[in-house]
Amino acid sequence: MTADSGPTPGADVSTATESGAIPLSEVAGPFDLQATVESGQSYLWDRPDGRMYESMDAHGGDAWYRTVAPPIDGVTDDPIAVRIRQREGRLEWVATDDPVPLVTHLLRLDDDLDAIYDAAPDDDLIQRAVDAYRGLRLVRDPPFPCLISFICSAQMRVARVHGMSVGLAESFGTEYDLGGKAVPAFPEPDQLAGRTEAELRDLKLGYRAPYVKRTAEMVAEGAAHPTEALGLGYEAAREYLTQFVGVGDKIADCVLLFSLGYLEAIPLDTWIQTAVAEYYPDCDCGTYAETSRALRERLGGAYAGYAQTYLFYYLRVRGDE
DNA sequence: TATCCAAGGTAAGTT
DNA sequence: AACTTACCTTGGATA
């Protein structure tokens, strides 16, 4: 029983910081940090300048982005707080520990993007989206924060989902010191499971509040964990994730694509469904599972999720056409 | 100023 | 299995 029942997070202060840079010449293919982090596929990064989502068409911005990542199997043993910015062909970083393996993992700098473009469908709409946002990479969000943040995304605008995610971190997460600035980590399962529905509603989660609480309880109690979907076939993995409260097919696909590395997953959100009606009407098979399958074929199979994410960003930012 | 509406859906109840 | 409906909240559109 910790005594942190209030909104004040425990302070976990580590004062040591390191800094350095990743030359982007070492990355296979192009990279666009802003497009990657502000495209609405991850809600776990924040801009200390407070201008998240305010200028999504401005390419090559050199803003700082920061996050705190929990330990990740095979990548990091401890939480790392990091901030990065893209500038002059390098990815500059300041962090509480060497973040290069972590950042490479989180932002999929190990993907050969040129090869993925080569495999992209010969499709006018997709090609336009790729041309518009060349360098946008998928992310590998930590599984639990990804799961919770996407439960929050139901019927919600991108900027507000990000706001909820930041609110959860500020209210219930552990703070880390990064060069003198306090950076809150996304709450761990027990840090959310212990909250009341009312506390979560105070953060404007609305009807998602009990979903978040119950899912956090399931993970905290060990009843299930999103990483247990790893190793299952794509559709079985999606089915596994829908056992979490507040998770249907769409949000399950988001977790598979944006956290667990199922690049064939294509979340059928309202934007993509509009695109199906307008550009791929023959892929509309009625049910989610069937339409998903048909569209996945159309968008190139194994990397269909990449096409989905370019399409989502392109349609959402450009309005239409 | 007041009202309406959609926002990266899901759960629960009906047919 | 497919179809309805309720659900929190808010910023922007419309009257």
Side-chain angles (χ1 to χ4, degrees):
Chain A
M1 283 293 244
T2 52
D4 61 335
S5 59
T8 304
D12 199 293
V13 179
S14 57
T15 49
T17 57
E18 305 175 23
S19 61
I22 301 173
L24 291 174
S25 55
E26 291 178 2
V27 173
F31 178 58
D32 181 333
L33 176 61
Q34 182 180 29
T36 299
V37 174
E38 297 199 38
S39 55
Q41 52 169 327
S42 173
Y43 300 106
L44 306 179
W45 292 81
D46 194 19
R47 281 178 66 150
D49 67 6
R51 306 187 64 80
M52 198 79 174
Y53 307 120
E54 286 183 13
S55 55
M56 291 196 297
D57 271 329
H59 279 263
D62 60 357
W64 285 102
Y65 296 87
R66 70 183 181 196
T67 194
V68 180
I72 295 169
D73 280 347
V75 182
T76 51
D77 296 326
D78 298 295
I80 294 179
V82 58
R83 70 167 191 263
I84 56 178
R85 71 171 169 181
Q86 181 170 10
R87 209 182 177 198
E88 295 170 357
R90 307 190 315 161
L91 201 52
E92 300 175 357
W93 55 262
V94 176
T96 53
D97 200 352
D98 173 16
V100 175
L102 174 68
V103 168
T104 300
H105 177 86
L106 295 177
L107 302 179
R108 300 196 72 100
L109 300 182
D110 47 342
D111 276 345
D112 184 343
L113 209 47
D114 287 324
I116 289 170
Y117 290 152
D118 286 343
D122 181 20
D123 173 293
D124 184 51
L125 182 61
I126 300 297
Q127 291 300 330
R128 269 185 288 156
V130 167
D131 287 343
Y133 299 110
R134 187 163 290 273
L136 187 165
R137 287 168 185 263
L138 283 170
V139 296
R140 282 192 194 94
D141 276 352
F144 179 72
C146 180
L147 179 64
I148 297 296
S149 60
F150 274 93
I151 288 173
C152 291
S153 78
Q155 288 292 104
M156 197 48 60
R157 286 182 174 81
V158 164
R160 287 202 54 211
V161 181
H162 180 259
M164 290 180 192
S165 190
V166 169
L168 287 170
E170 289 178 342
S171 296
F172 309 126
T174 302
E175 278 188 357
Y176 291 82
D177 180 88
L178 182 61
K181 300 231 175 184
V183 184
F186 197 89
E188 292 173 41
D190 62 303
Q191 289 176 311
L192 281 183
R195 308 276 68 89
T196 64
E197 182 181 323
E199 285 179 293
L200 297 175
R201 281 181 187 265
D202 285 345
L203 295 179
K204 313 303 179 190
L205 295 195
Y207 61 79
R208 304 155 197 82
Y211 300 168
V212 166
K213 179 175 171 57
R214 291 170 62 192
T215 288
E217 285 170 346
M218 291 172 72
V219 178
E221 292 164 2
H225 195 286
T227 55
E228 287 179 37
L230 285 169
L232 298 176
Y234 162 59
E235 292 192 341
R238 186 173 65 193
E239 181 64 24
Y240 176 85
L241 292 177
T242 59
Q243 75 181 288
F244 293 106
V245 182
V247 179
D249 286 332
K250 187 270 175 184
I251 288 174
D253 268 335
C254 289
V255 176
L256 292 175
L257 181 61
F258 303 136
S259 177
L260 301 181
Y262 286 77
L263 301 188
E264 69 269 51
I266 34 178
L268 297 184
D269 55 67
T270 55
W271 292 96
I272 299 301
Q273 285 177 9
T274 299
V276 168
E278 217 168 308
Y279 301 97
Y280 313 105
D282 53 309
C283 290
D284 184 356
C285 305
T287 67
Y288 186 101
E290 292 296 327
T291 300
S292 170
R293 216 169 289 162
L295 188 60
R296 183 160 47 259
E297 294 296 314
R298 184 65 60 89
L299 296 186
Y303 294 126
Y306 252 104
Q308 185 274 357
T309 298
Y310 273 88
L311 200 48
F312 173 75
Y313 191 40
Y314 184 72
L315 295 174
R316 191 171 61 83
V317 172
R318 305 286 290 256
D320 61 349
E321 189 64 14

